[in-house]
Amino acid sequence: MSSVAYNLHDIVRVSFTRDFSPKFIPEHFRTKKVGRTDLVVDERPDIKFDKARHQHMEHFYGGDGELYFERPRYGVLTQKMLIDDLFGRSTFSFTRSTRLAKIGDIVSLIGLLLEVKLLQRGYTLVHGAGVSKGGKGYLISGWGGTGKTSALIALSRQGFKLLGDE
């Protein structure tokens, strides 16, 4: 199966199966050759996992750098996700029934996995807005819904130049 690869500033390299091309990673990070990937995102028909070897908590099983999730849906479909080797070259696998039922959850989890990979290399993502004035830049950071965009708009009315919001 062919894949789509992204190189995020030579810090994190990620590949996705062709069937699940991400819309949340800007296209300018897309590359033809990524070399060794740090994270592989893979949709599979099914996922086999030995639950007996791992700790159990509600719908999750985990330990030794692995995390497995399984939940029956509608008595027929079973959502399954597996994160393998969280501390090395990680693979995030999920079944088609999972993608169809909860695409937002998958996208959020991929974002978290990218953040883990960045943290492992000494980087972090910042949720924020940026403005500049008088040759200086300012970052307004915080959780969603805390007023960053409102502050950005107020500052722009005071002569600050918008650098970005997100």
Side-chain angles (χ1 to χ4, degrees):
M1 176 179 280
S2 61
S3 63
V4 179
Y6 295 84
N7 182 345
L8 308 177
H9 299 294
D10 287 327
I11 300 168
V12 175
R13 293 170 182 87
V14 60
S15 66
F16 294 81
T17 60
R18 173 93 38 215
D19 293 338
F20 187 76
S21 182
K23 305 287 188 246
F24 57 91
I25 298 179
E27 276 299 304
H28 64 269
F29 289 119
R30 191 171 177 162
T31 183
K32 293 193 186 295
K33 293 184 181 178
V34 75
R36 179 174 157 72
T37 57
D38 303 297
L39 174 63
V40 176
V41 179
D42 182 27
E43 182 178 317
R44 298 183 187 176
D46 195 22
I47 297 172
K48 303 293 183 204
F49 186 79
D50 184 4
K51 295 184 265 189
R53 294 186 323 111
H54 294 82
Q55 294 178 352
H56 177 245
M57 186 169 58
E58 292 198 30
H59 299 290
F60 292 91
Y61 298 83
D64 300 323
E66 291 183 313
L67 182 63
Y68 176 73
F69 168 86
E70 180 177 288
R71 181 172 62 188
R73 299 284 291 183
Y74 314 116
V76 179
L77 298 175
T78 299
Q79 294 178 314
K80 296 180 182 182
M81 292 185 279
L82 173 64
I83 300 169
D84 189 27
D85 194 8
L86 186 58
F87 306 110
R89 181 176 184 250
S90 302
T91 303
F92 171 52
S93 304
F94 54 91
T95 56
R96 181 172 177 82
S97 60
T98 305
R99 178 170 60 101
L100 294 173
K102 290 287 201 171
I103 190 68
D105 290 350
I106 291 173
V107 169
S108 295
L109 189 52
I110 292 168
L112 288 172
L113 289 170
L114 287 172
E115 287 187 51
V116 166
K117 293 299 166 188
L118 286 166
L119 286 169
Q120 289 172 344
R121 287 158 182 78
Y123 296 87
T124 189
L125 292 176
V126 176
H127 186 195
V131 294
S132 68
K133 187 173 186 179
K136 293 183 179 181
Y138 302 90
L139 174 67
I140 304 166
S141 63
W143 299 107
T146 59
K148 293 177 303 300
T149 300
S150 298
L152 185 74
I153 292 168
L155 288 169
S156 71
R157 291 180 180 148
Q158 299 296 316
F160 284 80
K161 179 181 175 188
L162 169 67
L163 297 176
D165 189 11
E166 273 311 312

